[in-house]
Amino acid sequence: MKVTAPTTAPTTPATSLADPHPGFLRSLAETRRYLLGRPSRIMPTPDGKAVLFLRSPARSPVHGLHEYDVATAATREVVTPAEILGGAGETLSEAEKARRERMRITDRGFASFGLSPDGATVLLVLSNRLYLFDRASRKTRALTEATTDAVVDPRFSPDGTRIAFVRGHDVWVADVAGKVKAHPVTTGGSENLTHGLAEFVAQEEMGRFEGWWWSPDGKRIAYTEADHTDVERFAIADAAHPERAPAVFPYPRPGKANARVRLGIVAAGATGKAPRTTRWIDWDRDKYPYLALVLWEGVRAPMCVLVQTRDQREAVMLAVDDNTLATRPLAIERDDAWVNLDKDLPRWLPDGRGFLWVTEHSGRRELELRAPDGATKTIVVPASEGFVSLCHVDPAGREAWVLTGDAISNRIVRVPLDSDVRVVLTRDRAEHAPVFARRAGLYVDTVTAADAWPESFVCRADGSVLGRLPSTAETPPFRVNLELTTVGAPGFHAAVIRPHDLRPGRRYPVIVYVYGGPHALVVKADARNYLYEQWLADHGVIVVAIDNRGSPRRDRVWERAIKGNFADVALADQVLALQALGARYPEMDLSRVGIHGWSFGGYMAALAVLRRPDIYKAAVAGAPVVDWLDYDTHYTERYLDLPAANTAGYRDSGLLAHAPKLSRPLLLVHGTADDNVYTFHSLKLADALLRAGRPFEYLPLPGVTHQIGDPVVREQVWRRTADFLFAHLGVGA
């Protein structure tokens, strides 16, 4: 079809449509999609007699600590942030804010907690200070003095007598009994040379948030030293407050310098008086610059590290000699495209007789048991069973609990490690996220489904339900009219959300909710994922979501189809699946299709109207990556290789070259404080569109990061998105 470019800038009139659910968007924002009030950070005690968890009120992000008694099913809030702070406001350092951004945490109050090995004491952090809560006496005491430096990643020693943490770029140790004042065990840490902190790409892309580890006997600490000297610095200035100094972060772009990371071991003595010398672990850091995982799990197994090449085509598990700190390879995974990392694997068995290893050499994920020398002993979960992740290994090392399934749902399976017998503990079409007690045969399974709201069930090891953790969350005012289906020859998974008052014979505009990138899914057996989409649908549209090739939890060929180019396969798949949906469901009017998404989804939404205006008539692109030369190394190079090796792939995957082709309405939305996809991405696209004479709209969000924590801003972004798409699709006309 012929596309005529508009000659004047499109404007978005306020929608005249009646809101089918008045007040819903405000509730959706204030309840954080109705998740506030639900148990989070769930942790059973080692003996399995209680379950600790964080929970907030239904419309407040401030979490308190709660305890569920397994025997009586009674729950009580045991300590609140207000009780500890005495009514004073909570303060967070810039470093802690950035760390929480990496972890996708927008909570306040208690963001997390730790539990002593015997389960008697809870470790809490508030306003840059450590506190200990005694479960028996219900008393809280401060362990460290208040400072302006963040207290990061505190954890108990294996015997529970000490706590190590990071403060001021160095690793510190505090005595739980309070007899010895907290003191540093590393020195010389700075913004350029951090000790005990995971570097940016480790947190953002590898799933490694730890930068230090206790030895099994508690006498030593291993820690990372990350040298950021050669890494580019990005500054985020608040244009609304020019009197404030910019926040500056090291940010490695493709083809440029990463932080140089090495791993050392230092004594963790009881006093801070004696000088400590760090001994450095020896591996080829030029060949394997990425430190993905550190395992120091028991006295019967060697310390191990999982390291990765810069091109991510090889990962190797290295055993560390305890005396010389030299390393030797135990297992190697290679892939012509890239090797996926798993934050839970490899894992040594408690008795040291072997370790669990994940591989994709057969074309799908498998879980293997390997001997201490790395030789494969048995395939624990073969490719045919759809291995998703490892959940737990029993203290005797005889059984493992795993998740298996497909891209839509999973199931919990108990797998003996010395036989082929397995027990499927769940058979529903749902997503399960179990958390196990360290020693007892008990776990808490948080279940999400297409036809039910999330619930957290307390279960025995055999899967039988003992009770459920209570929630104070509000209930959404409507159910999601959700259909999960598969279309197209390759078998694209799709979600279809229709209006509750769907009228037979009527044709509806279509809005695509897109992500489209690797390592994430938008088609899920999870009704809460589509509440906003149902609100859109009830205005008189059909909303669809599609997972194209490149998405996870399929086979290797499916996931790696995007290697070398983010745009071509992903967009072609989205179009093919959308057309297949339109052919199957005549109520979809494919002459009126809009699209919206955030992050990679924002990139896909902009890409759709730039390259396929014949299909997509309007787009809202939130925090889009515009030029892949400006995203981070570990993510981008995994899929596109280094820029020098794939110049065409970077050019063709970006949006800037296509800017002069824009002929459809486009709304760009971006937070000015985004330190993941920096706001200069949208500014670069805006500049290219302006210079090409292409009309567009741009909505900056002052002071907002990659996540939108402020419920007022969140609501208004949702409304602006709806108004823009409705206006340009003729919804209600």
Side-chain angles (χ1 to χ4, degrees), residues 689-713:
L689 292 170
L690 178 68
R691 292 177 183 278
R694 298 293 85 196
F696 65 97
E697 295 188 36
Y698 185 27
L699 176 62
L701 306 177
V704 171
T705 63
H706 201 59
Q707 303 178 97
I708 303 178
D710 187 328
V712 174
V713 176

Side-chain angles (χ1 to χ4, degrees), residues 253-256 310 628-631 633 636-637 640-651:
R253 288 192 279 183
K256 299 187 178 183
R310 172 96 185 222
W628 288 102
L629 289 170
D630 293 328
Y631 201 56
T633 51
T636 312
E637 293 171 3
L640 299 185
D641 290 325
L642 272 74
N646 187 19
T647 303
Y650 276 84
R651 181 194 64 235

Side-chain angles (χ1 to χ4, degrees), residues 355-369:
F355 60 90
L356 295 170
W357 177 261
V358 62
T359 181
E360 294 183 80
H361 64 80
S362 69
R364 288 181 180 269
R365 280 168 61 86
E366 294 182 325
L367 183 65
E368 297 178 339
L369 175 60

Side-chain angles (χ1 to χ4, degrees), residues 205-479:
E205 310 300 354
M206 299 183 209
R208 175 173 67 79
F209 295 96
E210 304 86 1
W212 68 268
W213 299 263
W214 284 106
S215 64
D217 60 8
K219 295 180 180 179
R220 293 170 292 169
I221 287 176
Y223 69 95
T224 59
E225 179 182 84
D227 185 348
H228 298 86
T229 303
D230 297 328
V231 182
E232 273 190 295
R233 260 51 173 190
F234 278 13
I236 296 179
D238 188 347
H241 293 279
E243 75 281 4
R244 297 176 183 172
V248 180
F249 303 94
Y251 190 90
R253 288 192 279 183
K256 299 187 178 183
N258 276 309
R260 289 274 297 171
V261 177
R262 60 177 178 169
L263 185 68
I265 297 178
V266 66
T271 72
K273 297 178 181 179
R276 292 173 172 80
T277 300
T278 297
R279 301 173 63 217
W280 300 102
I281 293 171
D282 181 26
W283 82 86
D284 187 346
R285 292 190 295 135
D286 291 328
K287 182 177 181 179
Y288 301 105
Y290 289 129
L291 176 64
L293 193 68
V294 175
L295 306 174
W296 215 358
E297 297 181 324
V299 296
R300 294 184 175 88
M303 179 188 189
C304 292
V305 295
L306 184 72
V307 294
Q308 196 179 36
T309 54
R310 172 96 185 222
D311 66 11
Q312 299 180 59
R313 287 179 167 87
E314 182 175 305
V316 56
M317 180 179 174
L318 301 172
V320 180
D321 185 278
D322 197 55
N323 294 316
T324 67
L325 301 192
T327 57
R328 57 185 174 86
L330 290 182
I332 299 176
E333 183 78 1
R334 296 186 179 94
D335 192 283
D336 291 339
W338 70 80
V339 173
N340 283 316
L341 297 176
D342 190 314
K343 64 182 179 61
D344 298 313
L345 289 162
R347 172 89 62 87
W348 278 99
L349 301 184
D351 60 6
R353 76 179 193 280
F355 60 90
L356 295 170
W357 177 261
V358 62
T359 181
E360 294 183 80
H361 64 80
S362 69
R364 288 181 180 269
R365 280 168 61 86
E366 294 182 325
L367 183 65
E368 297 178 339
L369 175 60
R370 296 203 171 192
D373 64 359
T376 302
K377 296 177 66 174
T378 185
I379 298 176
V380 178
V381 182
S384 60
E385 295 183 19
F387 174 68
V388 176
S389 61
L390 174 68
C391 303
H392 179 65
V393 177
D394 77 301
R398 301 299 171 185
E399 290 185 310
W401 283 255
V402 301
L403 293 177
T404 66
D406 55 29
I408 300 295
S409 63
N410 61 29
R411 65 194 70 86
I412 305 173
V413 182
R414 192 176 74 211
V415 183
L417 298 179
D418 53 3
S419 76
D420 294 331
V421 179
R422 56 243 298 113
V423 179
V424 179
L425 303 181
T426 58
R427 297 183 180 276
D428 50 347
R429 191 70 165 158
E431 279 282 296
H432 297 266
V435 180
F436 283 75
R438 285 200 293 266
R439 296 195 301 268
L442 179 135
Y443 65 91
V444 179
D445 180 19
T446 298
V447 184
T448 58
D451 57 356
W453 305 124
E455 294 276 8
S456 296
F457 297 96
V458 182
C459 306
R460 294 188 181 92
D462 62 4
S464 57
V465 176
L466 296 170
R468 71 180 67 189
L469 301 184
S471 168
T472 58
E474 295 181 18
T475 301
F478 51 75
R479 288 285 184 183

Side-chain angles (χ1 to χ4, degrees), residues 709-730:
D710 187 328
V712 174
V713 176
R714 178 76 272 177
E715 178 191 1
Q716 294 308 319
V717 169
W718 280 331
R719 287 194 182 280
R720 185 69 179 273
T721 298
D723 287 348
F724 188 88
L725 294 174
F726 291 166
H728 293 294
L729 298 180

Side-chain angles (χ1 to χ4, degrees), residues 80-99:
T80 69
E83 290 170 354
I84 292 178
L85 296 177
E90 180 185 4
T91 59
L92 292 176
S93 69
E94 291 301 319
E96 179 60 14
K97 291 177 183 177
R99 176 180 163 83

